């Protein structure tokens, strides 16, 4: 079929020939003008002067006496008028959200030329509507009455009262805001449209271009556009051409047809276009379901290859008859990477959004950093999460990679939750970033200096690239992003220069808003190559091959709630745009787009997650069930293989390097097992291999909340410190009472312990506050209650705490294993030495069978008893003549009445562990024999309950 714009070009060239340049063509977008010029040159087949080609907005700007003001500048002026009228002290930060909403509302009111005085009618004047029927339609009267009657049903509602207070000044705000703009020669878009329309309605002279003004491919006119169009039509200088050829667009049951009859009747065409070609066969339409957003772009590659193979893209270096349409702009970069290399000319009409660039990501993180600075006036404390994010950002690493890595290591090693500026001043660039901002006026220079520092390093990287060193074209794009961001900062600074009550956070928020509307254009020949475009860029254009991504309900058509201060009832009653309006606009774009295509591929993300339903767009269902006679429709589902496949067992053979590492734990080797590693082996031999043999550990992370292991470490430190002065001496009940009452000494120990084990800065002891104070008091209570528990054994002789041992244990005649560890505490009650182990959690102190200590199948295996028995075994090996008694202090049970820490066997007290070791050691020796048996691999446990808290569970896919 012949493209719509080509038929327009044929008609007007045949009528005007070389004189066509005298006329002006108005298109829905600039891209349509580019294609029109291409078709015109092909038809003329000779050089000729081009007619003027503009958009509707450019036409109004040409005819208006005003200049469009910057959005941020408009918000500043609106805020000033609001404060003056409302006498409010509301900050600019708080005003921003609904101020932006008011700007949109005022623009809608003006574009539709609504009587603002009637719309913003005070609720107290409902009765006067009966006298205003000459100004209001019955529908408007009904809408006003219905809204205010329903609104008034819940009098006294605070939110409604706030709404009323603002509503009462809206008309005055609208008027005064408009006047203040007019005095400066500025206008917002709706105000500019209304001004031109009113002048046309009044018959005022407009600076019209010469010749005719031809409107091409438009659809949804606002009231102001209708007024201007009628004025031009009545003067005989306007002509109109509508792309309503498709029976789908003309179908009255289709939302796309909302304006068809009105436009054709009100604005008929001056010339009859040349007839369109009838298709020889039905267009092929294929819906492809893909369970991934980015996965859709991989299917694009396959589709393009097929089109080239079938010669539907006859010249791979051209592809001008093919368009990839992206309702979701986030898929632009993945799509570009998925285009086959044979297609070497690509024209991206939508540009890459600056807000998706790495520069924008860095500035957003910097904004969060500044928003969370503490004590900014004292030099500043910076939150570690944002500090690490900035230090790890690729652009920052380009400038200060070594310093950034060194600082990240320092933060994790010393568990620095909040960092001072001095700690972060590794070089001038990082010192610049980590400078607290106190007023918004500092932000522009602050950001410009950061971006300038990065830009200079990118220049250096680009020069290295030109000399053949490692680099990439990515530097060029990053530099362009920085330039555009730099311009946005300058623009915002100029706009805010006269606005009051602005904070640094407001500046960052406004900057983000400005950046969201900026795109960095890709270079390329607009009339050569595959076309990649957004939905709005497709207006008035036709393609043989269409690949439309993100055909999901809520994406295309876009599900976007209109944020408005004007309630829906009033918007509908006064003819302001509502969601039905938006639905009709998108429906027209879609059905017009597919009307001349020969092959249409629609891809959608079939995943259902969070707010995404995975549902295909309503447009496909309409095509399938209402318009299937017009298309050859097929559906394809591309799925991931989600069959439940049992994870393959992981097993490590004890041979080669593995066996050599394992043998280092034997007598004569340089490595040692521990009671904890024995516990790990029982849980899972593979866990033992990773943790003990390979010595793998989780990466250090900053602990914002004090974890249980740190609580246990601090508790151990306090107990050791409190008892240290009595080493080798007798502890009496009076001694314990003095320790319990030594609050000041405990506090000093707590502060020392926190500095050493949590803040990891032993020399920087500090007063504990907030969360740290609460945790310290909990630990203090544990310590006091432990001392209270010790009273039942007093007087006793305190031997030592944190007793280190290093032994060779002979499990058999051929197997001697190195062991070392630390016994939390040893004391002597009567003639029995107690081997004491502190546990921060809970557990049992009684067991009934030695075999259960080694049974990995038991969920509640008393591994704590196994550990203290191992300690007792090795202490007896060092001290064979001493009577030993194992004891476990569980902090979670320390407050239980009647709690006893001493380990019992089958509910009976153990007077001396020596009598039980003959039963214990055979199990222990057998376990060690298995660990060092070369024929027994390190295999994952069959009992998955042991995997719950394992650090290596992801390796096993459990």
């Amino acid at each position: 079929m012949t493209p719509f714009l080509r038929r327009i070009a044929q008609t007007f060239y045949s009528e005007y020939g070389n004189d066509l340049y005298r006329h002006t063509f108005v298109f829905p977008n600039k891209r349509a003008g580019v294609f029109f010029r291409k078709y015109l040159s092909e038809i003329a087949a000779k050089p000729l002067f081009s007619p003027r080609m503009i958009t509707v907005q450019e036409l109004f700007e040409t005819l208006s006496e005003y200049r469009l003001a910057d959005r941020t500048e408009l918000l500043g002026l609106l805020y000033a008028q609001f404060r003056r009228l409302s006498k409010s002290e509301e900050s600019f930060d708080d005003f921003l959200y609904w101020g932006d909403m008011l700007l949109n509302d005022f623009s809608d009111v003006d574009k539709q030329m609504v009587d603002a005085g009637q719309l913003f009618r005070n609720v107290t004047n409902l009765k006067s509507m009966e006298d205003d029927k000459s100004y209001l339609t019955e529908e408007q009267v009904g809408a006003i009455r219905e809204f205010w009657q329903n609104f008034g049903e819940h009098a006294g509602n605070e939110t409604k009262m706030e709404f009323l207070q603002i509503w009462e000044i809206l008309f005055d705000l609208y008027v005064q805001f408009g006047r203040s703009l007019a005095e400066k020669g500025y206008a917002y878009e709706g105000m500019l449209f209304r001004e031109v329309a009113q002048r046309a309605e009044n018959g005022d002279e407009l600076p019209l271009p010469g010749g005719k003004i031809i409107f091409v491919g438009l659809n949804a006119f606002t009231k102001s556009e209708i007024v201007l169009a009628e004025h031009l039509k009545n003067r005989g200088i306007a002509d109109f051409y509508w792309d309503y050829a498709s029976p789908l667009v003309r179908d009255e049951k289709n939302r796309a047809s909302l304006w068809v009859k009105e436009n054709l009747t009100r604005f008929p065409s001056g010339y009859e276009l040349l007839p369109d070609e009838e298709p020889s066969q039905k267009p092929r339409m294929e819906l492809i379901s893909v369970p991934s957003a980015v996965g859709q772009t991989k299917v694009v590659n396959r589709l393009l290859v097929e089109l080239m193979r079938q010669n539907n893209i006859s010249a791979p270096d051209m592809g001008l008859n093919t368009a990839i349409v992206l309702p979701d702009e986030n898929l632009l970069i993945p799509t570009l990477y998925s285009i086959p290399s044979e297609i070497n000319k690509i024209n991206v009409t939508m540009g890459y959004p600056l807000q998706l660039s790495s520069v924008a990501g860095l500035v957003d993180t910097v904004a969060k950093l500044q928003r969370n600075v503490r004590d900014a006036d004292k030099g500043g404390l910076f939150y570690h999460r944002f500090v690490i994010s900035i230090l790890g950002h690729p652009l920052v690493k380009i400038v200060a990679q070594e310093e950034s890595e060194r600082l990240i290591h320092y933060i994790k090693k010393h568990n620095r939750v909040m960092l001072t500026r001095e700690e972060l001043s590794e070089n001038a660039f990082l010192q610049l970033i980590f400078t607290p901002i106190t007023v918004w006026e500092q932000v522009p220079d602050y950001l410009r200096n950061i971006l300038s520092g990065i830009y200079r390093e990118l220049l250096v990287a680009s020069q290295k690239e030109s000399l053949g060193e490692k680099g990439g074209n990515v530097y060029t794009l990053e530099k362009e992003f920085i330039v555009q961001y730099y311009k946005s900062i300058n623009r915002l600074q100029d706009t805010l220069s006269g606005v009051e009550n602005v904070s640094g956070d407001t500046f960052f928020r406004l900057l983000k808003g400005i950046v969201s509307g900026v795109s960095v254009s890709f270079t390329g020949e607009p009339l050569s190559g595959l076309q990649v475009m957004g939905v709005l860029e497709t207006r008035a254009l036709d393609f043989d091959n269409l690949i439309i991504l993100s055909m999901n309900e809520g994406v295309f058509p876009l599900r976007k709630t209109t944020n408005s201060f004007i309630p829906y009832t009033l918007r509908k009653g006064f003819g302001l745009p509502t969601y039905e309006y938006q639905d009709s606009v998108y429906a027209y774009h879609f059905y017009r787009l597919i009307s001349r295509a020969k092959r249409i591929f629609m891809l959608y993300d079939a995943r259902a997650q969070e707010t995404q339903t995975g549902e295909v767009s309503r447009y496909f269902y309409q095509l399938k069930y209402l318009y299937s006679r017009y298309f050859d429709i097929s559906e394809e589902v591309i799925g991931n293989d989600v069959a439940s496949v049992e994870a393959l067992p992981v097993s490590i053979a004890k041979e080669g390097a593995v066996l050599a590492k394992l043998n280092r734990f034997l007598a004569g080797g340089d490595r040692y097992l521990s009671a904890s590693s024995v516990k790990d082996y029982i849980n899972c031999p593979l866990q033992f291999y990773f943790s003990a043999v390979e010595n793998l550990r989780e990466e250090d992370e900053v602990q914002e909340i004090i974890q249980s292991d740190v609580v246990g470490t601090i508790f151990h430190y306090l107990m050791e410190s409190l008892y240290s002065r009595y080493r080798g001496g007798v502890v009496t009940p009076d001694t314990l009472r003095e320790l319990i009452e030594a609050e000041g000494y405990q506090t000093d120990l707590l502060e020392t312990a926190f500095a050493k084990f949590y803040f990891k800065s032993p020399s920087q002891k500090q007063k504990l506050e907030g969360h740290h104070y609460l945790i310290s008091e909990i630990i203090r209570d544990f310590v006091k209650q432990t001392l209270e528990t010790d009273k039942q054994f007093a007087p006793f002789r305190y031997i030592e705490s944190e007793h280190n041992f290093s032994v060779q244990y002979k499990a058999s005649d051929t197997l001697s294993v190195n062991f070392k560890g630390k016994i939390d505490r040893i004391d002597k009650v009567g003639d029995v030495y107690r081997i004491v182990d502190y546990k921060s959690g809970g557990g049992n102190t009684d067991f009934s069978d030695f075999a259960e200590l080694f049974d990995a199948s038991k969920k509640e295996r008393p591994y704590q008893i196994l550990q203290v028995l191992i300690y007792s075994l090795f202490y007896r090996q060092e001290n064979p003549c001493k009577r030993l008694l194992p004891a476990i202090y569980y902090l979670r049970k320390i407050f239980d009445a009647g709690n006893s820490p001493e380990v019992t066997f089958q509910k009976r007290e153990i007077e001396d562990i020596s009598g039980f070791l003959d039963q214990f050691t055979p199990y222990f020796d057998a376990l060690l024999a298995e660990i060092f048996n070369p024929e027994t691999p390190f295999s994952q446990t069959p009992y998955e309950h042991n995997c719950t808290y394992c650090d290596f569970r992801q390796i096993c896919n459990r």
Side-chain angles (χ1 to χ4, degrees):
M1 299 177 75
T2 307
F4 172 66
L5 292 179
R6 187 179 187 88
R7 294 164 62 209
I8 297 291
Q10 287 174 333
T11 299
F12 276 87
Y13 183 72
S14 64
E15 286 293 332
Y16 295 100
N18 293 336
D19 291 333
L20 190 57
Y21 74 91
R22 301 180 186 277
H23 305 294
T24 299
F25 287 81
V26 181
F27 295 103
N29 56 33
K30 292 182 179 295
R31 181 65 42 181
V34 173
F35 272 76
F36 177 78
R37 184 180 290 112
K38 170 186 179 293
Y39 295 136
L40 190 60
S41 66
E42 291 175 351
I43 293 167
K46 65 178 182 179
L48 75 163
F49 289 108
S50 173
R52 185 183 184 194
M53 302 175 195
I54 59 176
T55 63
V56 175
Q57 180 173 316
E58 288 172 339
L59 175 63
F60 274 85
E61 289 180 24
T62 300
L63 303 179
S64 176
E65 296 178 345
Y66 297 134
R67 179 177 67 83
L68 277 179
D70 179 85
R71 184 79 176 181
T72 307
E73 189 173 13
L74 290 171
L75 283 169
L77 292 171
L78 183 62
Y79 174 63
Q81 292 297 330
F82 168 75
R83 289 190 65 195
R84 187 180 65 81
L85 290 170
S86 66
K87 311 299 183 186
S88 170
E89 294 300 321
E90 184 172 6
S91 69
F92 191 51
D93 293 45
D94 296 333
F95 174 81
L96 270 182
Y97 172 74
W98 65 272
D100 195 63
M101 206 161 51
L102 277 181
L103 273 183
N104 292 332
D105 286 343
F106 288 171
S107 192
D108 285 344
V109 166
D110 282 342
K111 281 188 175 181
Q112 298 298 338
M113 301 187 74
V114 171
D115 186 331
Q118 296 293 347
L119 173 63
F120 299 129
R121 175 184 294 272
N122 194 307
V123 66
T124 59
N125 295 332
L126 273 178
K127 182 65 179 169
S128 67
M129 284 194 307
E130 301 299 328
D131 302 326
D132 290 342
K133 286 186 178 179
S134 58
Y135 301 101
L136 299 173
T137 66
E138 290 185 8
E139 185 179 7
Q140 290 171 339
V141 172
I144 295 174
R145 182 178 287 112
E146 177 186 353
F147 171 71
W148 286 117
Q149 286 176 349
N150 292 337
F151 190 86
E153 286 180 358
H154 304 287
N157 183 291
E158 184 176 344
T159 303
K160 289 186 175 184
M161 295 305 295
E162 290 179 1
F163 175 87
L164 284 175
Q165 290 172 5
I166 297 174
W167 187 270
E168 287 177 355
I169 67 166
L170 276 190
F171 179 65
D172 288 339
L173 181 60
Y174 167 83
V175 172
Q176 295 301 325
F177 178 53
R179 286 177 181 170
S180 65
L181 286 174
E183 290 173 359
K184 297 175 179 290
Y186 292 159
Y188 49 87
E189 188 173 83
M191 178 181 168
L192 185 146
F193 275 48
R194 186 170 198 152
E195 181 259 341
V196 172
Q198 286 179 338
R199 288 169 59 204
E201 202 170 37
N202 297 334
D204 295 347
E205 191 68 28
L206 295 175
L208 296 170
K212 284 199 169 186
I213 300 176
I214 301 107
F215 294 85
V216 179
L218 303 172
N219 180 48
F221 272 173
T222 63
K223 180 62 181 299
S224 56
E225 290 168 336
I226 290 174
V227 169
L228 176 62
E230 286 189 326
H231 170 75
L232 298 176
K233 183 188 74 171
N234 293 337
R235 291 189 56 176
I237 61 172
D239 202 355
F240 305 87
Y241 294 87
W242 313 97
D243 193 0
Y244 294 152
S246 170
L248 281 61
V249 172
R250 295 197 306 269
D251 184 358
E252 293 184 3
K253 296 178 181 178
N254 193 328
R255 284 190 181 273
S257 68
L258 181 61
W259 295 282
V260 170
K261 277 189 176 180
E262 179 182 354
N263 287 338
L264 290 176
T265 303
R266 190 193 297 266
F267 303 112
S269 302
Y271 300 105
E272 185 174 345
L273 300 182
L274 296 175
D276 201 353
E277 299 175 5
E278 289 296 326
S280 58
Q281 58 184 11
K282 289 182 180 180
R284 171 190 166 195
M285 177 176 291
E286 184 174 351
L287 177 74
I288 303 176
S289 167
V290 185
S292 166
V294 175
Q296 298 173 76
T297 67
K298 305 308 174 186
V299 179
V300 168
N301 179 282
R302 188 198 77 189
L303 296 176
L304 291 172
V305 171
E306 288 179 2
L307 289 171
M308 287 188 293
R309 189 175 62 247
Q310 298 165 1
N311 290 325
N312 294 317
I313 301 178
S314 56
D317 63 331
M318 296 296 289
L320 189 59
N321 66 338
T322 303
I324 300 174
V325 182
L326 301 177
D328 180 4
E329 63 183 13
N330 294 308
L331 294 183
L332 175 58
I333 296 300
T335 298
L336 295 179
Y337 278 112
S338 299
I339 294 173
S341 57
E342 294 89 340
I343 301 178
N344 51 41
K345 290 187 178 180
I346 304 170
N347 181 42
V348 182
T349 65
M350 57 194 299
Y352 188 71
L354 184 55
Q355 64 179 336
L356 300 180
S357 68
S358 58
V359 178
L362 175 60
V363 174
D364 284 348
T365 307
V366 166
K368 293 174 184 175
L369 175 84
Q370 294 293 344
R371 193 177 298 128
N372 291 276
V373 171
R374 295 183 187 173
D375 300 329
D377 54 340
K378 298 178 182 178
L381 290 172
F382 299 91
Y383 184 46
H384 76 279
R385 288 193 184 276
F386 304 125
V387 171
I388 291 176
S389 293
I390 290 172
L391 294 174
H393 195 280
L395 293 179
V396 173
K397 283 193 169 184
I398 288 176
V399 184
Q401 181 168 356
E402 292 183 6
E403 296 88 341
S404 296
E405 291 175 353
R406 190 159 53 244
L407 278 173
I408 291 173
H409 176 73
Y410 167 80
I411 292 168
K412 292 179 177 180
K413 179 182 177 181
H414 295 281
N415 200 55
R416 301 293 289 135
V417 178
M418 302 298 293
L419 295 110
T420 65
R421 187 186 181 197
E422 288 71 23
E423 290 176 289
L424 299 169
S425 299
E426 279 279 335
N427 65 16
F429 179 71
L430 294 179
Q431 186 177 18
L432 170 65
I433 294 178
F434 300 109
T435 299
I437 301 299
T438 55
V439 293
W440 81 265
E441 287 86 354
Q442 296 173 324
V443 179
D445 284 338
Y446 169 73
L447 290 179
R448 281 194 291 258
N449 289 335
I450 293 174
L451 297 182
S452 296
I454 296 172
Y455 191 88
R456 284 192 294 270
E457 290 299 320
L458 288 173
L459 281 177
V460 173
S462 298
Q463 292 168 359
K464 289 181 179 180
E465 175 193 348
S466 65
L467 295 174
E469 296 186 26
K470 186 177 179 180
N473 291 331
V474 68
Y475 295 135
T476 303
L477 192 56
E478 294 290 1
K479 285 190 293 183
E480 183 60 29
F481 287 146
I482 290 176
V483 169
Q484 294 299 327
Y485 228 108
Y486 205 103
K487 291 178 180 178
S488 298
I489 294 168
N490 292 342
R491 176 178 155 203
L492 180 57
Q493 183 182 21
D494 293 341
T495 301
L496 290 180
S497 58
V499 181
E500 299 178 359
N501 293 340
V502 178
S503 68
D505 190 37
T506 303
F507 188 94
F508 280 113
R509 287 168 58 193
L510 287 172
L511 181 61
K512 189 172 183 177
I514 289 176
V515 166
S516 66
V518 177
S519 293
V520 177
S521 300
F522 289 82
T523 58
E525 171 55 48
L527 296 174
S528 176
L530 180 71
Q531 304 290 303
V532 181
M533 52 181 53
V535 173
L536 296 181
E537 283 80 26
T538 67
R539 288 175 292 179
L541 302 181
D542 296 303
F543 300 94
D544 290 339
N545 309 308
L546 283 173
I547 301 175
I548 310 174
L549 280 67
S550 304
M551 281 295 297
N552 285 80
E553 186 64 25
V555 181
F556 192 25
L558 182 66
R559 183 192 298 129
K560 184 177 181 181
T561 304
T562 302
N563 292 322
S564 173
F565 214 83
I566 304 171
Y568 171 81
T569 306
L570 296 184
R571 292 188 73 89
K572 190 170 180 65
F574 280 84
L576 296 173
T578 60
Y579 66 84
E580 294 97 340
Y581 175 93
Q582 179 177 274
D583 279 355
S584 298
V585 169
Y586 270 87
Y588 172 76
H589 291 332
F590 174 74
Y591 284 104
R592 192 221 61 79
L593 173 63
I594 66 173
S595 63
R596 295 182 182 84
K598 298 176 181 178
R599 286 158 295 274
I600 306 159
F601 302 95
M602 297 187 294
L603 288 71
Y604 75 100
D605 185 354
R607 295 174 304 164
Q609 58 180 17
E610 298 178 358
T611 59
Q612 179 179 305
T613 63
E615 183 181 0
V616 69
S617 170
R618 73 188 77 165
Y619 295 151
F620 176 74
Y621 290 125
Q622 292 169 3
L623 291 166
K624 183 177 180 180
Y625 297 111
L626 299 179
Y627 305 120
S628 58
R629 65 186 183 276
Y630 296 105
F631 302 93
D632 179 10
I633 299 177
S634 63
E635 298 181 48
E636 178 184 358
V637 176
I638 298 177
N640 294 326
D641 185 5
V642 293
S644 178
V645 179
E646 183 176 358
L648 295 175
V650 182
S651 181
I652 306 296
K654 296 174 184 174
E655 57 187 20
V658 174
L659 185 59
K661 290 179 180 179
L662 183 63
N663 288 338
R664 290 171 60 189
F665 292 97
L666 298 178
D670 60 346
R671 300 188 66 184
Y672 297 83
L673 293 184
S674 66
S676 294
S677 61
V678 170
K679 177 201 71 174
D680 288 345
Y681 185 87
I682 296 172
N683 283 342
C684 174
L686 192 62
Q687 181 185 17
F688 170 87
Y689 167 73
F690 288 135
S691 61
V693 179
E694 295 296 343
N695 200 28
L696 299 180
R697 298 288 182 270
E698 281 191 306
E699 184 181 359
D700 288 340
E701 296 290 341
V702 177
Q703 294 184 7
E704 296 183 50
I705 298 174
I706 302 177
Q707 303 297 321
S708 59
D709 60 334
V710 178
V711 170
T713 301
I714 294 175
F715 174 84
H716 280 68
Y717 176 81
L718 259 70
M719 292 303 301
E720 178 188 11
S721 300
L722 288 170
Y723 273 131
S724 61
R725 70 179 74 175
Y726 304 103
R727 183 172 182 171
V730 176
V731 176
T732 66
D734 289 340
T735 302
L736 293 170
R737 185 174 61 254
E738 291 175 1
L739 292 175
I740 292 171
E741 294 174 353
E743 295 272 347
Y745 183 45
Q746 294 168 15
T747 299
D748 183 67
L749 290 176
L750 282 166
E751 291 176 354
T752 301
F754 268 77
K756 184 176 182 180
F757 301 112
Y758 178 67
F759 298 116
K760 298 182 180 179
S761 300
S763 61
Q764 298 179 7
K765 192 169 70 173
Q766 57 185 282
K767 183 180 179 181
L768 301 178
E769 298 177 343
H771 171 74
H772 302 144
Y773 172 77
L774 294 176
I775 297 298
S776 73
E777 289 301 300
I778 292 172
I779 297 173
R780 189 198 301 269
D781 288 343
F782 283 146
V783 169
K784 287 183 176 181
Q785 190 59 35
T786 301
L787 296 173
E788 289 285 354
T789 302
D790 283 345
K791 284 182 178 180
Q792 63 185 289
F793 306 107
F796 60 85
R797 184 175 296 278
Y798 171 73
I799 307 302
E800 65 175 320
S801 288
E802 306 300 322
H803 170 74
N804 290 296
F805 64 85
S806 176
V807 300
Q808 287 184 7
Y809 176 75
K810 189 173 183 179
S812 68
D813 291 339
T814 58
L815 181 63
S816 292
V817 184
N818 297 331
F819 273 94
K820 71 177 179 180
K822 186 181 293 185
I823 300 174
D824 292 343
R825 171 175 144 195
I826 303 170
D827 58 34
K828 184 179 180 183
V829 180
D831 61 349
V832 177
Y833 287 82
R834 291 198 316 161
I835 307 300
V836 176
D837 197 27
Y838 299 127
K839 295 295 181 185
S840 57
N844 297 319
T845 53
D846 180 75
F847 70 106
S848 57
D849 183 12
F850 284 97
E852 72 175 316
L853 301 178
F854 299 86
D855 188 353
S857 66
K858 291 187 174 295
K859 287 187 177 181
E860 301 297 330
R861 177 172 58 86
Y863 65 87
Q864 304 93 335
I865 295 177
L866 172 65
Q867 186 167 338
V868 76
L869 288 179
I870 293 174
Y871 289 159
S872 301
L873 173 66
F874 293 146
Y875 190 75
R876 185 176 181 276
Q877 185 171 320
E878 293 178 334
N879 304 273
C881 298
K882 294 179 179 178
R883 293 177 60 192
L884 305 179
L885 174 63
I888 306 173
Y889 284 70
Y890 291 111
L891 299 189
R892 288 188 182 179
K893 290 186 173 183
I894 199 72
F895 292 95
D896 293 352
N899 171 61
S900 174
E902 296 182 346
V903 175
T904 59
F905 178 68
Q906 297 178 350
K907 305 295 183 182
R908 297 194 304 272
E909 292 184 6
I910 298 176
E911 296 182 359
D912 183 5
I913 193 64
S914 302
F916 294 88
L917 291 182
D918 290 342
Q919 302 176 58
F920 173 74
T921 53
Y923 291 101
F924 186 57
D925 294 346
L927 181 70
L928 294 177
E930 179 182 314
I931 292 175
F932 290 94
N933 184 354
E935 304 301 322
T936 305
F938 293 117
S939 301
Q940 61 189 152
T941 179
Y943 310 111
E944 293 195 17
H945 60 263
N946 290 332
C947 303
T948 305
Y949 301 107
C950 178
D951 294 337
F952 312 104
R953 60 182 302 177
Q954 290 185 339
I955 298 177
C956 304
N957 293 322
R958 284 186 171 177

